[in-house]
Amino acid sequence: MTLHLPTLTRRAFLTSAAAFAASTVLPASGLRNARAASVKEFRLKPAPGRTHVVPEPYGETPVWSYNDVVPGPEIRVRQGDRLRVTVENGLDEETTVHWHGMRTPNAMDGVPHLTQAPIAPGESFIYEFDAVDAGTFWYHPHQNSTVQVGRGLYGPLIIEEAEPVRVDRELTWVLDDWRLTKSAAISDDFDNRHDLMHNGRVGNTVTINGRVPESLTARTGERVRLRLINAANARIFALDFADLMPIVIAFDGQPVAPHAPTDGLVSLGPAMRVDLILDMTGGPGSRTTVVDRFYRGLEYRLVDLAYAETVLREGPPDWPVELPANPLAEPDLRDAIRHEVTFNGGMMGQMVMAEMGGSMGDGSAGGTSGGMMGNMMNMMHGRGIWFINGRAAIGHVMDPLLTLSRGRTCVLALTNATAWHHPIHLHGHSFRVLSRNDQPTAYREWQDTVLMAPREKVEIAFVADNPGDWMFHCHILEHQAAGMMGVIRVSGEEERI
Ligand code: C2O
Ligand code: CU
């Protein structure tokens, strides 16, 4: 994998700082509790467009975008509100919209053929669901995702707490990674076999909110809530905020006990979100450089924070940073059903499997038709390169990998028997991450996407309380397209205990 950040004249980004500020300052809290829940209407029109991904002298990049902007318009409502989003398909191909991380009814989940007929060109579909959880979410198509997301279809979805934590300013950074040609066009080598078999479509141009960033203004003493969303097809970020000491307050929209990031790096696999409290502790006129260190030897400067000459306050404020919990059902581990899920395949997959002492089949209850032979056949036909419990998905409709009784706690023991990282996402639920390689996690964090390192074992737990057929897949979109996807069914009846 190579990383070429185009040589650019780095200027002009800050012209958008005003736009940032205008859209991100939190209104004063206090009045919000009194309001009754209400329906908030939005319209999204995915269509071909053009935007300045890289600044001049580069020209505009032909993209696919929602409402002509990349990212798509921010959808922002309050917890408890109901969203009604009319999606009108202006593309030349079918699409859907998935509300990543939102616990919606199954029919609103936006999975083509599984939960809805895809939206044909020129047609519309109305999504309507309640904002049950507060937090940082995002939306994107679930149809031909490698191409549709890769060409720019994604947007932030922010659900405000009734009482947000107090900050001076709120920012959302939707991170993306593009593979551009020398003329700043999107390279159209989507779904090539190398990307499918390795770490996906990692690009050569990283953007914040759809644009190669220059710098952002900060004020000494200012407290910022930074919402990070990784909308890239495949790139994993590990952000180093240098001398700033970010405090993580939420993962994937779900509050977590406030803490400094492990190893000092804020890591996000594709689709993941992290909410940070950032106290701007640099001196007036100074700069802080944010560096992405995920790929060793390929570290690069993401963006500079440039301090104004004036001081907002001496030292950080002592306002509380803990977010109120969302209404998630607590897993009951004494009465949990346990399933093993093994991920395998990809380049060097055979080697890792041999090393980990497994067979390509998996040995979970209700073992499938997998097995070494089945997999070889799959690999020979079409795009089956990655497997979950021995099966490679072709399309979104398939027999469920697991069927869970509604209301029951489920523990999934996940094994990454591959040589690659995988951000594994479950639709319709958030889960607690209980352990990694048999070590309990420090925060038992709620997530909807868990990043697994090569050969790592991770245990997650959740109450299967949302009936329907839910996708369970790697969010490296090339891995998903090449088979790393399954369905978890939550049966409609309440289990009698
Ligand atoms: Cu972000 Cu299956 O989705
Ligand atoms: Cu993957």
Side-chain angles (χ1 to χ4, degrees):
M1 191 209 59
T2 51
L3 178 80
H4 304 289
L5 284 170
T7 318
L8 303 165
T9 47
R10 295 179 181 277
R11 60 189 174 93
F13 179 71
L14 247 245
T15 50
S16 63
F20 259 123
S23 65
T24 53
V25 174
L26 261 187
S29 57
L31 295 175
R32 0 187 103 197
N33 289 330
R35 286 181 63 256
S38 57
V39 177
K40 298 289 166 57
E41 302 252 8
F42 299 89
R43 300 189 78 81
L44 289 178
K45 183 170 184 178
R50 306 178 73 81
T51 174
H52 254 295
V53 174
V54 281
E56 271 121 37
Y58 287 88
E60 289 182 321
T61 298
V63 295
W64 293 358
S65 56
Y66 289 111
N67 302 6
D68 267 324
V69 286
V70 180
E74 178 186 82
I75 296 181
R76 182 181 277 260
V77 301
R78 293 176 196 168
Q79 186 172 20
D81 281 348
R82 189 167 180 81
L83 291 106
R84 185 181 297 140
V85 189
T86 304
V87 177
E88 184 193 342
N89 186 2
L91 302 169
D92 287 335
E93 61 179 60
E94 295 176 332
T95 194
T96 64
V97 179
H98 169 59
W99 316 95
H100 186 115
M102 300 284 288
R103 298 189 290 141
T104 66
N106 197 241
M108 296 293 117
D109 197 42
V111 179
H113 306 292
L114 187 73
T115 69
Q116 69 169 98
I119 312 167
E123 304 279 289
S124 296
F125 187 89
I126 300 172
Y127 293 91
E128 190 170 326
F129 52 89
D130 294 328
V132 176
D133 298 323
T136 304
F137 304 94
W138 66 298
Y139 58 89
H140 64 79
H142 221 283
Q143 169 92 21
N144 193 18
S145 305
T146 52
V147 176
Q148 293 193 10
V149 178
R151 288 195 185 278
L153 289 172
Y154 55 79
L157 173 52
I158 309 297
I159 313 298
E160 296 178 349
E161 298 86 13
E163 310 213 17
V165 292
R166 182 172 174 192
V167 294
D168 296 305
R169 188 158 58 121
E170 187 177 317
L171 289 174
T172 302
W173 287 2
V174 186
L175 302 168
D176 194 9
D177 170 38
W178 308 71
R179 186 177 293 171
L180 299 181
T181 65
K182 287 206 171 68
S183 59
I186 295 173
S187 164
D188 60 7
D189 59 340
F190 287 99
D191 295 321
N192 71 70
R193 199 161 170 86
H194 185 274
D195 287 346
L196 294 177
M197 294 194 71
H198 293 77
N199 59 345
R201 181 181 171 89
V202 175
N204 53 20
T205 307
V206 171
T207 56
I208 296 178
N209 298 339
R211 186 145 176 122
V212 172
E214 165 56 20
S215 66
L216 289 172
T217 46
R219 288 172 300 167
T220 300
E222 184 182 29
R223 172 165 288 181
V224 172
R225 175 177 183 171
L226 177 59
R227 300 174 186 264
L228 298 166
I229 301 172
N230 183 354
N233 283 32
R235 178 179 290 276
I236 303 168
F237 293 86
L239 303 183
D240 179 349
F241 286 84
D243 47 337
L244 300 184
M245 312 239 281
I247 302 291
V248 178
I249 57 169
F251 287 121
D252 294 349
Q254 301 295 345
V256 65
H259 64 278
T262 327
D263 309 327
L265 298 177
V266 179
S267 298
L268 299 99
M272 297 171 70
R273 289 87 66 213
V274 177
D275 282 39
L276 296 177
I277 294 292
L278 267 184
D279 283 321
M280 300 297 187
T281 49
S286 71
R287 290 173 92 83
T288 296
T289 299
V290 182
V291 174
D292 176 10
R293 300 195 184 281
F294 184 78
Y295 301 97
R296 198 163 304 154
L298 296 169
E299 296 83 356
Y300 64 95
R301 186 199 77 143
L302 175 65
V303 67
D304 278 3
L305 306 172
Y307 288 86
E309 296 298 337
T310 54
V311 172
L312 180 68
R313 72 171 68 78
E314 308 289 343
D318 59 0
W319 307 330
V321 296
E322 188 152 355
L323 291 167
N326 278 320
L328 288 156
E330 185 60 41
D332 176 5
L333 296 178
R334 293 158 315 172
D335 183 41
I337 177 117
R338 187 184 169 89
H339 292 280
E340 308 275 333
V341 180
T342 302
F343 301 89
N344 53 35
M347 201 61 183
M348 299 182 293
Q350 305 281 2
M351 190 189 78
V352 177
M353 282 305 289
E355 214 181 276
M356 295 184 77
S359 67
M360 290 289 269
D362 81 293
S364 77
T368 59
S369 58
M372 184 71 85
M373 204 40 120
N375 286 297
M376 305 266 281
M377 297 300 290
N378 271 331
M379 280 223 215
M380 284 153 57
H381 296 108
R383 311 211 294 189
I385 292 171
W386 301 94
F387 305 88
I388 304 182
N389 284 359
R391 273 195 299 176
I394 300 163
H396 290 88
V397 179
M398 65 195 98
D399 291 335
L401 175 71
L402 300 170
T403 299
L404 307 174
S405 321
R406 182 174 180 186
R408 186 80 186 270
T409 292
C410 173
V411 172
L412 297 183
L414 312 177
T415 301
N416 176 5
T418 80
W420 306 90
H421 282 83
H422 304 286
I424 302 297
H425 172 46
L426 174 63
H427 286 209
H429 300 78
S430 288
F431 47 77
R432 276 198 189 277
V433 182
L434 302 179
S435 73
R436 289 182 179 269
N437 291 329
D438 299 323
Q439 297 304 307
T441 53
Y443 304 102
R444 293 167 70 84
E445 54 272 20
W446 288 105
Q447 304 215 259
D448 57 54
T449 307
V450 62
L451 184 61
M452 299 185 75
R455 300 169 177 79
E456 191 172 34
K457 291 175 188 280
V458 175
E459 283 178 312
I460 63 174
F462 60 98
V463 178
D465 57 2
N466 199 355
D469 282 351
W470 302 104
M471 301 311 299
F472 180 62
H473 65 88
C474 180
H475 221 288
I476 289 180
L477 300 177
E478 289 69 30
H479 293 178
Q480 179 191 4
M484 207 172 216
M485 175 162 71
V487 167
I488 293 184
R489 175 169 293 166
V490 177
S491 66
E493 286 127 74
E494 196 92 41
E495 180 167 90
R496 297 263 150 260
I497 302 172

